[in-house]
């Protein structure tokens, strides 16, 4: 399985399938405060803010998060979906 597929499957399994993306929360924050840049400490592999905000800095020291964010192309493809 390709890295891109692993990234997509992992995100879907951890957040999408559980309906835990919190898109409504991020859309509410965007509508009320209009942030352009967002810092997301302790993000794990939760990339949903990137679906709403133009620029997000994800911060997490978990090796699993480091591995997940390593494949930038797969992440960009997932966000564009």
């Amino acid at each position: 399985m390709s890295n891109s597929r692993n990234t997509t499957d992992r995100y879907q399994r951890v957040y999408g399938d559980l309906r835990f993306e919190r898109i409504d929360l991020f859309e509410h924050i965007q509508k009320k405060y209009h942030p352009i840049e967002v810092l997301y400490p302790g993000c794990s592999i939760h990339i949903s803010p990137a679906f709403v905000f133009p620029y997000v800095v994800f911060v997490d020291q978990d090796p699993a998060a480091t591995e997940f964010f390593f494949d930038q192309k797969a992440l960009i493809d997932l966000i564009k979906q």
Side-chain angles (χ1 to χ4, degrees):
M1 189 180 294
S2 71
N3 276 350
S4 180
R5 186 73 186 152
N6 286 337
T7 299
T8 301
D9 288 348
R10 186 168 177 201
Y11 180 80
Q12 187 62 34
R13 187 177 62 250
V14 175
Y15 291 102
D17 290 347
L18 299 176
R19 303 178 67 87
F20 193 62
E21 292 183 293
R22 300 181 179 168
I23 296 295
D24 291 346
L25 170 65
F26 299 125
E27 287 174 341
H28 176 75
I29 292 168
Q30 176 67 323
K31 184 177 179 181
K32 185 164 177 82
Y33 300 105
H34 312 289
I36 295 170
E37 298 178 349
V38 177
L39 175 65
Y40 191 7
C43 63
S44 181
I45 64 167
H46 191 216
I47 60 167
S48 297
F51 303 157
V52 177
F53 304 112
Y55 183 80
V56 183
V57 175
F58 298 94
V59 179
D60 200 301
Q61 65 182 8
D62 182 356
T66 301
E67 179 184 328
F68 181 81
F69 282 95
F70 184 75
D71 187 353
Q72 294 289 302
K73 182 183 178 329
L75 286 171
I76 291 168
D77 290 346
L78 178 58
I79 291 165
K80 286 181 178 179
Q81 284 180 335

